């Protein structure tokens, strides 16, 4: 049987059907051109006329109440991304569509300011990077994340940022000022240090060693920074857990966290296809360990279990992580951000009418 060949520079092998489609289509291999790799889909960007920008969260195992996602879809192409299924709400595939058909919210900063000046607004830290990376490649051109940070700084509003991109260094001027007032935490995601594996896992993200450099630059600038070993993939990346924590600590990370591989909805199919394409001899063992950590299933969506798993494998992973944290004197959190500095300011003149 011929294995599917993933497009160069993309994470997903193909476009799995959208779960809301009434009908599905599958390509038929007639053996005429089975050896050729599929063409690389070009990236398209569509402006989204959003009406609001702050999303509220009530999940008990997530440490934030509010978040902002400047973009839908993510060009980094991380095959493991648990946000991929959200593209189905646009009628698109969580596969290649998720990493090539992107949506931007050009009015994000204006909408944010509009929400912050409302008399009933209650300040709590806003999380950036909870669904897709706020510093993915198209941020270089659109600068929506920077515009959001400018608004948050002006209002003295706290923010947490999760990214795997060195592009965050562009905004050191804003982040340094926010850090002086205890208004910002940054989490840098590093699932592997192996450059070849990283190119397959997250083909358009910053190289792992470069991300370690970003941790050092942020820490040197006085910005509280943590490393996220996420996801930990059984049999592929789990052996690197201690090394990633150690190197991040050497560069100034104050805290660390990890998340076990999550495979909700279509991500199950996408990740299985990716394993078959890149690591066919490890595929079954990897998936078996994932199932062992999720009660015999590839995913357990229960709060409190979905990010760390259960069972002997998950317990061993947790013990290893806690030992690494202790060895390098890292904290489990970066501390509390200051919400007392929040200043609503005066509404613009036209907003009085």
């Amino acid at each position: 049987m011929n294995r599917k060949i993933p497009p160069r520079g993309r994470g997903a092998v193909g476009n799995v059907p959208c779960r809301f489609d009434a009908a599905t289509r599958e390509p038929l291999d007639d053996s005429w051109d089975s050896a050729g790799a599929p063409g690389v889909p070009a990236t398209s960007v569509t402006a989204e006329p959003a009406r609001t920008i702050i999303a509220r969260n009530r999940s008990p195992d997530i440490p934030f109440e509010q978040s902002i996602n400047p973009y839908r879809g993510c060009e980094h192409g991380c095959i493991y991304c648990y946000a991929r299924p959200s593209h189905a709400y646009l009628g698109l595939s969580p596969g290649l569509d998720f990493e090539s058909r992107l949506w931007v919210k050009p009015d994000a900063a204006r909408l944010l300011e509009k929400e912050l000046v409302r008399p009933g607004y209650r300040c709590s830290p806003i999380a950036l990077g909870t669904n897709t990376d706020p510093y993915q490649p198209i941020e270089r051109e659109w600068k929506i994340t920077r515009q959001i940070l400018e608004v948050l700084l002006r209002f003295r509003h706290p923010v947490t940022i999760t990214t795997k991109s060195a592009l965050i260094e562009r905004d050191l001027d804003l982040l340094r000022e926010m850090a002086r007032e205890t208004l910002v935490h940054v989490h840098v995601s590093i699932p592997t240090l192996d450059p070849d594996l990283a190119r397959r896992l997250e083909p358009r993200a910053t190289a792992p060693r470069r991300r370690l450099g970003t941790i050092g630059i942020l820490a040197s600038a006085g910005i509280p920074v943590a490393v996220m070993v996420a996801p930990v993939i059984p049999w592929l990346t789990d052996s690197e857990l201690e090394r990633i924590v150690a190197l991040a600590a050497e560069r100034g990370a104050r805290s660390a966290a990890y998340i076990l591989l999550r495979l909700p909805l279509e991500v199950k199919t996408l990740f299985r296809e990716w394993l078959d394409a890149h690591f066919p001899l490890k595929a079954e063992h990897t998936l078996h360990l994932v199932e062992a950590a999720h009660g015999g299933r590839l995913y357990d969506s229960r709060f409190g279990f979905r990010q760390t798993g259960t069972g002997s494998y998950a317990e061993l992973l947790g013990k290893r992580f806690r030992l690494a944290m202790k060895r390098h004197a890292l904290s489990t959190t970066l501390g509390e951000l200051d919400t007392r500095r929040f200043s609503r300011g005066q509404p613009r003149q036209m907003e009085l009418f």
Side-chain angles (χ1 to χ4, degrees):
M1 179 184 294
N2 291 324
R3 289 188 283 117
K4 294 182 180 179
I5 303 174
R8 183 177 177 82
R10 295 296 185 186
V13 172
N15 262 332
V16 297
C18 166
R19 63 186 178 278
F20 301 123
D21 286 347
T24 60
R25 299 174 178 83
E26 293 186 6
L28 175 65
D29 181 5
D30 59 6
S31 301
W32 278 96
D33 193 27
S34 59
V40 181
T43 300
S44 67
V45 181
T46 303
E48 176 182 342
R51 291 179 293 180
T52 60
I53 198 62
I54 299 178
R56 266 74 186 189
N57 163 63
R58 295 182 180 178
S59 301
D61 60 348
I62 295 180
F64 59 83
E65 297 178 352
Q66 305 188 118
S67 63
I68 293 177
N69 289 293
Y71 305 103
R72 292 183 189 265
C74 186
E75 198 174 7
H76 282 161
C78 305
I79 189 58
Y80 52 75
C81 183
Y82 60 80
R84 283 181 175 272
S86 64
H87 239 44
Y89 294 110
L90 300 174
L92 300 173
S93 170
L96 290 172
D97 283 350
F98 177 80
E99 52 195 277
S100 62
R101 299 181 65 178
L102 311 180
W103 298 71
V104 304
K105 303 172 185 178
D107 291 334
R110 180 185 64 81
L111 291 171
L112 174 60
E113 183 172 353
K114 185 178 179 180
E115 293 201 42
L116 296 185
V117 299
R118 289 178 177 170
Y121 177 78
R122 183 179 66 86
C123 178
S124 67
I126 288 176
L128 289 175
T130 60
N131 205 45
T132 58
D133 200 313
Y135 285 102
Q136 62 175 286
I138 58 174
E139 166 65 15
R140 294 183 185 278
E141 175 185 354
W142 288 86
K143 299 181 176 64
I144 297 174
T145 297
R146 182 174 177 87
Q147 294 166 19
I148 289 171
L149 291 178
E150 288 172 341
V151 171
L152 293 174
L153 175 58
R154 182 153 44 87
F155 281 77
R156 297 302 187 264
H157 194 296
V159 62
T160 65
I161 303 170
T162 301
T163 184
K164 58 188 64 181
S165 173
L167 181 56
I168 191 174
E169 297 170 15
R170 179 201 63 189
D171 295 336
L172 275 177
D173 57 331
L174 303 176
L175 299 174
R176 189 181 290 112
E177 187 174 350
M178 298 182 86
R180 283 197 291 265
E181 300 189 39
T182 322
L183 295 175
V184 65
H185 290 161
V186 175
H187 301 83
V188 178
S189 172
I190 306 177
T192 180
L193 297 170
D194 183 332
D196 180 62
L197 177 56
R199 278 192 294 269
R200 304 184 196 199
L201 270 177
E202 34 189 37
R204 300 197 182 192
T206 298
R209 293 283 173 175
R210 182 67 180 85
R211 279 178 245 176
L212 286 172
T214 295
I215 289 176
I217 289 171
L218 292 170
S220 297
I223 299 159
V225 58
V227 63
M228 290 284 297
V229 189
V232 175
I233 304 175
W235 207 243
L236 285 185
T237 70
D238 51 1
S239 64
E240 300 184 74
L241 178 65
E242 290 86 354
R243 182 66 174 156
I244 294 172
V245 171
L247 291 177
E250 287 178 9
R251 285 155 178 79
R254 302 184 192 178
S255 178
Y258 78 96
I259 297 177
L260 186 60
L261 177 66
R262 296 172 58 184
L263 298 175
L265 301 170
E266 292 95 341
V267 185
K268 297 184 187 70
T269 301
L270 289 164
F271 191 73
R272 188 187 293 271
E273 288 181 343
W274 180 89
L275 279 174
D276 288 339
H278 293 284
F279 299 98
L281 299 182
K282 294 184 177 182
E284 288 305 316
H285 191 51
T286 294
L287 294 176
H288 175 72
L289 288 174
V290 172
E291 291 173 340
H294 292 300
R297 301 181 297 275
L298 283 176
Y299 184 56
D300 182 355
S301 62
R302 290 180 299 162
F303 295 135
F305 299 99
R306 56 183 179 166
Q307 300 192 63
T308 56
T310 58
S312 58
Y313 174 81
E315 290 173 5
L316 177 60
L317 198 63
K319 289 178 181 178
R320 289 173 51 198
F321 176 73
R322 289 189 292 272
L323 185 59
M325 293 277 284
K326 182 178 180 180
R327 182 179 296 123
H328 299 286
L330 295 179
S331 171
T332 55
T333 70
L334 289 174
E336 296 292 328
L337 292 172
D338 194 346
T339 58
R340 297 170 299 177
R341 297 178 182 271
F342 175 64
S343 175
R344 185 169 285 105
Q346 297 298 319
R348 295 175 180 174
Q349 188 66 30
M350 290 303 294
E351 292 175 353
L352 296 174
F353 298 94

